[in-house]
């Protein structure tokens, strides 16, 4: 027997979610964004599960792309942050990687490179997020310069949104307007939409979608949204009850004695903690599911264990499975109890959590 903490990954759900992205823009292609080890789901396994249908994959850096190539993944792989050093360009050209270009110094590096074949580029504009990208006023010149280089193959024009998950703000519309104005007269494909834009901003669905979070079936929105409701959760994080204690009113539970029983309570200890990546800042009262019934955490999360209130789950016993998030409990909902976003919960699981794959 091994420790029960595990993340079960439903590869069919990931394919369903990828197809949902594609169905929202039938004429577009979609680069499945599988950076950060596919947000904790295992980049190679996910790429293999999508290999028959993904138009491309997106990763953050060359090490992540190399992992895919070493595993035999043939699709184009886009480096979303581009290359960091000119010595990456030879590998990029030889292995069919596509690279974002977000600054003049990368154009200089391309111009100076001696490459075996031209490299496809996603030229990135800073349309208002001010993190990466060429300013709109310099964009035409950057494009013209890049287009003239024999080292450069196809060029796609890209930008990234700061607030696409906020359906009430007009920041996304303003960013689209800035982008459209700055690319006027350039005949090249566009790529704007991350998951929230793919789901909720039809004007942002251009030639290439870039869905990441939605592939895992997690909603980026804090409010209900029609398309996000069709997503299927891909990861179920679970463990088992390893101890049960019947406690009296006034008894304290866990580090800091911060949880005090307000009623005679049955408290279960489960094999899951921040050493597994479950956030320590999850508040007491964060939902969990035991035997199909929802209950809540009680007290602080420790490194290897945490405690939950099973007073109202009459038949719960040692060895019963506890779901921390997944099929029965959306990871986005758990994230709200941890003052964070589902992205961090998924990507921060540690290697102590075994990944189990289903529906390959
Ligand atoms: C990570 C990333 C994405 C995917 O974003 P999600 O919100 O996870 O869909 C898309 N584009 C770029 C440039 C990224 O870095």
């Amino acid at each position: 027997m091994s420790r029960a903490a595990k993340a079960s990954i439903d590869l069919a759900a990931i394919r369903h979610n990828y197809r949902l992205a594609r169905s929202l823009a039938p004429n577009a292609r979609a680069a499945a964004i599988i950076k950060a080890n596919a947000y904790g789901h295992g980049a190679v396994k996910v790429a293999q599960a999508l290999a028959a249908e993904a138009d491309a994959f997106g990763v953050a850096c060359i090490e992540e792309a190399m992992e895919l190539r070493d595993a035999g993944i043939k699709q184009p792989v886009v480096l979303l942050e581009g290359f960091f050093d000119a010595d990456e360009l030879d590998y990029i050209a030889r292995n069919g990687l596509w690279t974002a270009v977000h600054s003049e110094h990368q154009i200089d590096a391309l111009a100076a490179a001696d490459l075996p074949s031209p490299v496809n580029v996603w030229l990135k504009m800073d349309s208002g997020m001010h993190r990466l990208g060429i300013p709109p006023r310099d964009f035409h010149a950057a494009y013209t310069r890049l287009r003239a280089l024999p080292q450069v193959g196809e060029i796609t024009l890209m930008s990234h949104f700061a607030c696409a998950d906020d359906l009430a703000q007009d920041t996304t519309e303003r960013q689209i307007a800035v982008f459209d104005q700055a690319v006027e007269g350039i005949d090249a494909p566009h790529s704007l939409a991350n998951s929230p834009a793919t789901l909720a901003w039809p004007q942002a669905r251009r030639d290439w979608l870039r869905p990441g979070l939605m592939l895992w079936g997690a909603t980026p929105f804090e409010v209900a949204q029609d398309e996000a409701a069709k997503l299927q959760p891909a990861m179920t994080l679970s463990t088992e009850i390893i101890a049960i204690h019947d406690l009296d009113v006034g008894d304290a539970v866990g580090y800091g004695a911060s949880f005090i029983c307000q009623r005679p309570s049955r408290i279960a200890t489960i094999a899951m903690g921040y050493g597994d990546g479950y956030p320590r800042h999850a508040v007491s009262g964060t939902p969990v599911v035991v035997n199909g019934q929802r209950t809540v955490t009680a007290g602080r999360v420790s490194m290897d264990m945490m405690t939950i209130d099973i007073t109202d789950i009459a038949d719960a016993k040692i060895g019963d499975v506890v779901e921390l998030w997944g099929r029965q409990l959306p990871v986005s909902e758990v994230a709200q109890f941890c003052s964070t976003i589902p992205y961090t919960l998924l990507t921060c699981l540690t290697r102590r959590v075994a990944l189990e794959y289903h529906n390959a």
Side-chain angles (χ1 to χ4, degrees):
M1 262 309 287
S2 54
R3 194 159 172 273
K6 66 174 187 203
S8 135
I9 312 288
D10 180 353
L11 295 167
I14 296 173
R15 283 191 293 271
H16 165 89
N17 297 328
Y18 179 79
R19 287 171 197 160
L20 176 65
R22 282 263 300 261
S23 75
L24 291 169
N27 298 320
R29 287 179 286 175
I33 305 304
I34 56 171
K35 60 193 179 188
N37 199 29
Y39 298 45
H41 295 69
V44 168
K45 288 278 200 216
V46 168
Q48 286 166 342
L50 289 172
E53 54 196 299
D55 301 305
F57 293 107
V59 297
C61 57
I62 197 163
E63 291 80 2
E64 293 180 347
M66 285 173 161
E67 187 190 10
L68 299 178
R69 284 288 179 262
D70 289 347
I73 298 298
K74 301 277 186 280
Q75 268 90 351
V77 178
V78 191
L79 304 176
L80 294 167
E81 290 177 35
F83 55 94
F84 300 87
D85 200 287
D87 66 13
E88 296 169 42
L89 283 169
D90 190 68
Y91 182 93
I92 289 172
R94 283 183 200 283
N95 289 279
L97 308 186
W98 301 356
T99 180
V101 163
H102 58 77
S103 68
E104 295 288 342
H105 86 268
Q106 290 174 316
I107 304 180
D108 295 341
L110 277 163
D114 179 13
L115 299 180
S117 56
V119 170
N120 289 352
V121 164
W122 285 27
L123 181 61
K124 183 161 187 174
M125 185 194 302
D126 172 16
S127 57
M129 186 167 177
H130 301 139
R131 190 178 62 172
L132 279 188
I134 311 264
R137 64 178 174 281
D138 300 331
F139 198 74
H140 248 271
Y143 173 81
T144 304
R145 203 179 151 215
L146 209 51
R147 186 61 293 163
L149 297 179
Q151 293 92 336
V152 173
E154 290 165 25
I155 302 177
T156 297
L157 312 179
M158 76 179 291
S159 195
H160 195 60
F161 296 123
C163 306
D165 58 330
D166 187 340
L167 303 174
Q169 277 202 44
D170 66 353
T171 315
T172 301
E173 279 157 347
R174 283 191 280 121
Q175 282 193 255
I176 293 173
V178 166
F179 178 85
D180 282 341
Q181 202 190 358
V183 302
E184 223 175 86
I186 302 178
D187 181 19
H190 298 173
S191 177
L192 297 178
N194 55 2
S195 294
T198 297
L199 291 164
W201 299 92
Q203 327 84 295
R205 297 173 191 147
R206 303 285 168 96
D207 305 277
W208 276 99
L209 308 173
R210 304 193 306 269
L213 184 76
M214 68 178 288
L215 299 176
W216 327 120
T219 177
F221 309 112
E222 288 194 3
V223 296
Q225 199 268 341
D226 287 352
E227 301 303 340
K230 301 174 190 164
L231 294 168
Q232 295 178 0
M235 178 196 287
T236 297
L237 179 68
S238 65
T239 188
E240 288 176 6
I241 295 177
I242 60 171
I244 293 176
H245 297 278
D246 288 306
L247 302 179
D248 295 326
V249 172
D251 283 346
V253 178
Y255 279 121
S258 65
F259 180 86
I260 310 286
C261 295
Q262 303 297 314
R263 58 174 180 168
S265 299
R266 178 160 260 223
I267 300 292
T269 303
I270 66 175
M272 174 69 62
Y274 62 80
D276 300 291
Y278 190 91
R280 183 179 178 278
H281 48 281
V283 295
S284 186
T286 300
V288 298
V289 177
V290 183
N291 298 340
Q293 287 181 63
R294 278 202 186 205
T295 182
V296 293
T297 62
R300 288 195 190 148
V301 175
S302 354
M303 186 184 290
D304 313 310
M305 289 171 270
M306 50 197 274
T307 33
I308 64 174
D309 186 346
I310 56 166
T311 312
D312 298 323
I313 303 177
D315 53 349
K317 57 187 185 306
I318 288 174
D320 280 359
V321 174
V322 181
E323 177 175 319
L324 288 313
W325 62 68
R327 281 261 160 212
Q328 307 170 87
L329 175 60
V331 64
S332 305
E333 186 180 336
V334 177
Q336 294 191 22
F337 287 85
C338 309
S339 321
T340 188
I341 52 177
Y343 298 76
T344 66
L345 298 191
L346 296 171
T347 52
C348 289
L349 290 186
T350 69
R351 66 198 181 115
R352 195 163 76 186
V353 177
L355 300 183
E356 271 180 14
Y357 292 92
H358 303 278
N359 301 319

